[in-house]
């Protein structure tokens, strides 16, 4: 029963009987829908293939992969930029604070 309904729906869609305009563009709609689905798949496959290629080149330390990575790092925004800035600032303050303490001679860090 379900198979018969699916066959009927598929034959209506492919033959163009169910098209709104009634001028036989049903096959063209099916073709364009199929072409769109295939183009999405092919595009996704190319993107994944490019990422795999960059990964392999980066493992071999090729210059093109390193340059591409540097360009992407410059162009794409860092979502945690505020957090990164705060961590770098705190690290610099801690380092300068430790240097001040060592210069004063109050604490040398040696335990006797």
């Amino acid at each position: 029963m379900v198979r018969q309904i699916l066959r009927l729906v598929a034959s209506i869609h492919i033959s163009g009987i169910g098209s709104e305009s009634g001028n036989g563009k049903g096959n063209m709609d099916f073709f364009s829908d199929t072409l769109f689905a295939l183009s999405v798949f092919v595009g996704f496959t190319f993107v994944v293939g490019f990422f795999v290629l960059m990964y392999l080149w980066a493992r071999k330390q090729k210059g093109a992969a390193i340059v591409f990575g540097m360009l992407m790092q410059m162009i794409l925004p860092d979502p945690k930029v505020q957090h990164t800035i705060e961590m770098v600032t705190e690290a610099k303050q801690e380092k300068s604070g430790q240097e001040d303490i060592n210069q004063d001679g109050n604490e040398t860090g040696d335990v006797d």
Side-chain angles (χ1 to χ4, degrees), residues 91-110:
K92 285 183 180 180
Q93 288 175 353
E94 288 176 7
K95 186 176 180 182
S96 66
Q98 289 176 355
E99 289 175 359
D100 290 343
I101 291 172
N102 289 338
Q103 287 176 356
D104 291 340
N106 295 338
E107 293 183 21
T108 60
D110 294 334

Side-chain angles (χ1 to χ4, degrees), residues 48-65:
V48 169
F50 179 73
F51 288 154
V52 168
L53 179 69
M54 286 295 116
Y55 173 75
L56 293 175
W57 281 2
R59 297 264 317 201
K60 294 178 183 177
Q61 295 183 355
K62 295 229 179 182

Side-chain angles (χ1 to χ4, degrees), residues 26-78:
N27 288 333
M28 190 64 185
D29 291 340
F30 177 72
F31 178 73
S32 63
D33 291 345
T34 306
L35 188 63
F36 176 73
L38 285 176
S39 66
V40 170
F41 176 73
V42 169
F44 179 74
T45 304
F46 279 133
V47 168
V48 169
F50 179 73
F51 288 154
V52 168
L53 179 69
M54 286 295 116
Y55 173 75
L56 293 175
W57 281 2
R59 297 264 317 201
K60 294 178 183 177
Q61 295 183 355
K62 295 229 179 182
I66 294 171
V67 168
F68 179 74
M70 291 170 66
L71 285 173
M72 288 297 105
Q73 185 70 26
M74 288 189 315
I75 294 170
L76 295 176
D78 184 10

Side-chain angles (χ1 to χ4, degrees), residues 7-37:
R7 285 182 190 162
L8 178 65
V9 170
S11 67
I12 290 173
H13 181 65
I14 291 173
S15 66
I17 296 171
S19 70
E20 292 83 15
S21 60
N23 58 3
K25 287 190 175 181
N27 288 333
M28 190 64 185
D29 291 340
F30 177 72
F31 178 73
S32 63
D33 291 345
T34 306
L35 188 63
F36 176 73

